[in-house]
Amino acid sequence: MKLLVTGCAGFIGAATSAALLEQGHTLIGIDNLNDYYDVNLKKARLDQLRQYDSFQFYADDLADKSALDKIFQQHRPHKVINLAAQAGVRYSLENPQAYVNSNLVGFVNLLEACRHYEVAHLLFASSSSVYGDTHTLPLTTTQSTDEPLSLYAATKKSNELLAHSYSHLYGLAVTGLRYFTVYGPWGRPDMAPFIFTQRILNNLAIDIFNGGQHRRDFTFIDDAVNATVQLLSGEHFNLYPNTIPYKIYNIAYGQSIELDYFIGLIEKTLGKTALKNIQDKQAGDVTNTWADISELQRDIAYQPQVTLDKGIPKFVDWFKAFYPGKNS
C-alpha cells in the first residue's frame, strides 16, 4: 500500500514510518526539518528510513499548499498519517505564529489534499493537552475539551474540530490520536526524559515545576506506534456503522505516574542522584494526565507492553549511545 507520513523525521513519525516500511508498504515522507530542536537528531532518524528502497522523502512544509498538492498529485497515497506539528506547550508561549502556520494552516492544506485526492483514511496526531487541567480522571474521549491551557492545546483541539467537519461534509474517514507523553529511544530533546537524563549525567540541577506535584501517563514509543499502525486499517469504523467515519482515541499506557517516581527511575538507571531546583507551576502546564484506554482495548485489543520501569532504561541506554559526549 502507498502511504504518506508527515513529520516523518520527528520522534513518533520516524518510528511509525520504520514500522510501516518493515511491513512492506511504500512510504512517502514529508518533514520541514525545522530547528525547534536538534536537526542532527532528525537527520539521523531520516538516515534510518533511507535504508529502505520503498521510502521517498520530501523536505517540504505543510503550510506550502502548492508543494503539498504536487506531492499528492504525483504519488496519490492511499492513506495518510499526519504526525507533523509544531510541538511543545511552553514554546507556544514564545512563538505562537509557528503553531498557527504548522498546526492550523498546514493541517487545513492536508485536509484539502486528502479530500481532493480521495484518500481512504487520514490518521492525525492530537494530544492529551486538549483535556486542559480537569480533575475528572481518568480522561475519556467523551468528556469536554473546551478549556485548553495553551495555544498548542488549542491548535490540537482545532484539528479535531476541522477533521470532524471534513468527515461530516465529505465522508473523509478520519481517526484522531490523543498521544499521552510518548517517550523512548530517539525521543525529543525538549521532553523531561531527555532533559533530566542529560542534566543528571552532567551534575546539573533539574527544574521541578509545580513543586513536583505533576503526574503523567507515560507511553513508550513502541506501544504508541503499535496502536497507530493497527488503527491505520480503519476496521474500527465498522464498529460504528450509524455514525460518520470519525473517531478519537487516547493513545497511552493507562496509568498515572508521580513525577518523583519517574525521576527516581532515571536516578536508579544512571546510578546518580539528581540535584533539584523546585519551581512554581508554569503557564500552560496541566497537573495530571491519566488516560482511559478502554475504547482502544475494545476496538483493536490494544494492550500496552512496556512499563515505565522497563522503558526508562531503554531510553537511557539509547541516550548514552547516541550522545556519548554529553555524559560525564
Side-chain angles (χ1 to χ4, degrees):
M1 186 185 304
K2 183 176 287 189
L3 308 173
L4 186 146
V5 176
T6 71
C8 66
F11 175 33
I12 302 176
T16 301
S17 295
L20 293 169
L21 288 165
E22 276 294 308
Q23 290 184 354
H25 297 290
T26 298
L27 198 145
I28 311 305
I30 303 175
D31 200 296
N32 67 2
L33 298 175
N34 68 38
D35 61 358
Y36 168 63
Y37 64 79
D38 184 10
V39 175
N40 291 320
L41 176 57
K42 298 180 181 183
K43 290 179 177 178
R45 296 184 188 127
L46 268 182
D47 287 342
Q48 302 291 314
L49 302 179
R50 284 182 166 128
Q51 297 178 23
Y52 296 87
D53 292 336
S54 53
F55 175 72
Q56 187 169 349
F57 174 67
Y58 291 87
D60 285 307
D61 195 310
L62 298 187
D64 185 342
K65 188 177 186 303
S66 176
L68 189 64
D69 285 345
K70 287 179 182 178
I71 293 170
F72 271 79
Q73 184 176 30
Q74 179 179 348
H75 294 284
R76 297 184 178 272
H78 185 54
K79 297 182 181 182
V80 174
I81 305 179
N82 179 47
L83 300 172
Q86 177 56 60
V89 169
R90 292 167 187 163
Y91 185 62
S92 67
L93 304 176
E94 304 171 23
N95 191 358
Q97 195 62 47
Y99 292 78
V100 172
N101 292 340
S102 179
N103 301 4
L104 296 180
V105 175
F107 189 67
V108 170
N109 288 344
L110 187 68
L111 286 170
E112 279 289 282
C114 288
R115 172 168 79 99
H116 288 294
Y117 292 96
E118 299 181 340
V119 166
H121 187 195
L122 166 66
L123 284 81
F124 73 95
S126 186
S127 168
S128 62
S129 65
V130 301
Y131 288 107
D133 212 8
T134 178
H135 298 290
T136 305
L137 299 169
L139 300 163
T140 69
T141 59
T142 57
Q143 69 191 71
S144 174
T145 54
D146 292 337
E147 297 180 355
L149 298 187
S150 67
L151 178 61
Y152 170 71
T155 62
K156 288 300 184 179
K157 169 67 174 180
S158 298
N159 287 171
E160 294 182 2
L161 295 172
L162 288 163
H164 185 277
S165 69
Y166 269 71
S167 184
H168 171 73
L169 292 171
Y170 308 114
L172 177 64
V174 182
T175 303
L177 312 170
R178 290 178 179 168
Y179 291 111
F180 281 68
T181 315
V182 181
Y183 74 100
W186 299 94
R188 281 174 24 208
D190 63 325
M191 296 188 70
F194 194 110
I195 295 170
F196 289 0
T197 297
Q198 180 181 345
R199 295 188 71 82
I200 293 171
L201 276 170
N202 290 280
N203 302 309
L204 299 171
I206 59 175
D207 290 331
I208 307 296
F209 294 103
N210 196 32
Q213 298 305 303
H214 287 312
R215 298 176 66 100
R216 290 290 182 268
D217 196 334
F218 292 94
T219 314
F220 192 69
I221 182 63
D222 292 0
D223 289 328
V225 169
N226 288 340
T228 302
V229 171
Q230 280 185 264
L231 288 168
L232 183 65
S233 71
E235 292 179 4
H236 51 282
F237 291 124
N238 296 330
L239 303 174
Y240 306 91
N242 298 319
T243 63
I244 65 171
Y246 175 87
K247 196 78 178 71
I248 294 284
Y249 290 100
N250 289 332
I251 310 296
Y253 188 86
Q255 183 179 15
S256 190
I257 302 293
E258 294 179 351
L259 183 60
D260 281 347
Y261 185 80
F262 163 68
I263 295 171
L265 284 177
I266 298 178
E267 291 175 318
K268 179 181 178 181
T269 304
L270 295 175
K272 300 185 71 171
T273 301
L275 303 172
K276 299 178 182 179
N277 182 21
I278 305 301
Q279 302 272 6
D280 293 334
K281 185 177 180 181
Q282 282 207 325
D285 280 356
V286 301
T287 305
N288 300 322
T289 65
W290 173 19
D292 180 336
I293 58 172
S294 59
E295 285 185 296
L296 202 60
Q297 292 172 318
R298 180 192 66 213
D299 291 357
I300 63 168
Y302 169 78
Q303 289 296 338
Q305 300 298 310
V306 184
T307 64
L308 193 65
D309 302 61
K310 295 179 180 179
I312 288 298
K314 290 177 182 289
F315 169 76
V316 170
D317 287 347
W318 168 81
F319 182 93
K320 287 182 172 181
F322 192 80
Y323 288 107
K326 297 189 179 183
N327 306 330
S328 62

